[in-house]
Amino acid sequence: YEAYFEAVEQDLFDHFGVESTLLQSAYLTPWRRGGVEFRFISWLVRSLELRRMQMMDSLFMLCTIVFVSLLIRLHTGSSAYACAAMTQILMSIPVTAFVYRILFRIEYFGLLHLCSIFLVLGIGADDNFVLLDAWRQAQTDVPAVDDANETTLRRLLYAFARTMDAVFSTSLTTALAFLCMGISPIMPVRTFGIFAAMVVVCNYVMVLTLIPTCMMLCEGYHSWQVDAKKTSGERSIGSTCRLPSIGSFFERRYVSLMTWNRSSIKGTSVGAWLSVCC
């Protein structure tokens, strides 16, 4: 039947002068001939279109994975860490699927559930950035001792504690937001909310367990140097910022604009109020 409908569908495409491309479905363009607009629907035609949509979405998914990988590599400056982070992010999906299906005994898994990969790519990359920046900050905030292993341990505990608190708040609010979908009477929506919430929690646990281990295994992570220059007796701030123009913008332009006020009005930041109103 599908082979027959593929031939019929192609004949209709040729007749109405439409075609399906990688980024555009033929069914999103109007089918007109002789002033008459033509519409039809069939279960088999729907199946063919869903198959094309899955191929298109898979390509978008692959492009998103590559983009996030390059972004992590650019931010961290380490290919090893980028590979470890992407492995952890992508592994959150099958681990969550195991808990979802085997432990919670939820059998339904639809196309909507696959959208959770975009969710975990964004949240997972953000969590990894928080952990890495906390580790970099530990190089400044935690002084070195004679024992190199003890220094690494103290700095790791410092980064772990900061990440655990910060990421817990964001992960909790996101997971609760998706759990609210669990009260929906629509079964696919309800199960997707449960699955998405579980993905967020699983990603949180894996970031705190897998990534610190990978940080220790990545060569050179225990001896990273802070990018920003430090002066004697002064702690470094913004050690991960590599754009000095941003700092000069805030110092020379932004602060002066926000604190600007008329001479007749004392203590009122007119610039800040104008910015809020704008």
Side-chain angles (χ1 to χ4, degrees):
Y1 288 116
E2 286 188 353
Y4 168 74
F5 266 86
E6 285 180 354
V8 172
E9 186 185 53
Q10 188 59 48
D11 290 341
L12 289 172
F13 286 172
D14 298 338
H15 182 74
F16 288 96
V18 297
E19 63 176 341
S20 287
T21 61
L22 186 62
L23 303 177
Q24 177 88 17
S25 171
Y27 295 99
L28 294 179
T29 58
W31 292 25
R32 292 190 178 91
R33 181 99 177 178
V36 178
E37 184 175 348
F38 181 73
R39 297 183 182 181
F40 75 101
I41 186 64
S42 169
W43 181 83
L44 287 172
V45 172
R46 175 180 175 272
S47 300
L48 296 176
E49 180 66 10
L50 283 177
R51 187 188 306 170
R52 281 191 292 266
M53 291 173 60
Q54 290 175 11
M55 295 177 60
M56 187 184 310
D57 292 345
S58 299
L59 179 61
F60 290 152
M61 192 179 302
L62 179 61
C63 294
T64 305
I65 292 174
V66 172
F67 174 77
V68 174
S69 302
L70 294 177
L71 190 63
I72 296 176
R73 172 63 179 83
L74 180 65
H75 180 78
T76 61
S78 171
S79 299
Y81 186 89
C83 292
M86 285 306 303
T87 301
Q88 176 266 308
I89 292 172
L90 296 179
M91 280 298 296
S92 299
I93 300 294
V95 171
T96 303
F98 176 82
V99 177
Y100 174 85
R101 176 65 182 87
I102 303 300
L103 299 184
F104 284 84
R105 298 290 183 179
I106 303 177
E107 298 184 358
Y108 180 79
F109 190 91
L111 294 176
L112 186 62
H113 292 60
L114 295 178
C115 295
S116 59
I117 190 172
F118 299 104
L119 170 71
V120 75
L121 279 171
I123 295 179
D126 181 61
D127 294 348
N128 277 277
F129 289 157
V130 173
L131 177 59
L132 179 62
D133 289 343
W135 171 260
R136 285 175 169 174
Q137 189 65 38
Q139 313 303 309
T140 302
D141 293 350
V142 180
V145 295
D146 295 335
D147 189 352
N149 290 332
E150 181 67 19
T151 301
T152 301
L153 176 62
R154 292 182 180 182
R155 290 173 175 175
L156 183 62
L157 291 175
Y158 174 89
F160 188 90
R162 289 190 58 175
T163 304
M164 183 175 60
D165 294 340
V167 175
F168 175 79
S169 301
T170 58
S171 299
L172 178 63
T173 53
T174 306
L176 290 178
F178 280 105
L179 277 179
C180 292
M181 301 174 65
I183 64 177
S184 171
I186 305 174
M187 187 270 291
V189 176
R190 180 170 67 249
T191 54
F192 169 71
I194 296 173
F195 186 82
M198 292 172 61
V199 165
V200 174
V201 175
C202 178
N203 176 77
Y204 171 73
V205 174
M206 293 183 70
V207 166
L208 294 179
T209 54
L210 178 62
I211 298 303
T213 306
C214 295
M215 289 174 60
M216 293 297 99
L217 293 177
C218 288
E219 182 180 0
Y221 260 73
H222 62 280
S223 59
W224 268 5
Q225 298 296 327
V226 180
D227 295 332
K229 295 181 179 179
K230 295 174 289 186
T231 58
S232 57
E234 182 180 353
R235 293 175 60 182
S236 172
I237 59 175
S239 58
T240 60
C241 181
R242 301 180 180 179
L243 299 176
S245 59
I246 299 296
S248 61
F249 166 77
F250 277 101
E251 291 176 1
R252 301 176 183 177
R253 302 297 181 89
Y254 184 80
V255 174
S256 60
L257 288 175
M258 292 300 102
T259 57
W260 175 80
N261 60 345
R262 297 170 56 186
S263 58
S264 59
I265 305 178
K266 301 297 183 180
T268 301
S269 299
V270 178
W273 280 107
L274 289 176
S275 175
V276 171
C277 294
C278 182

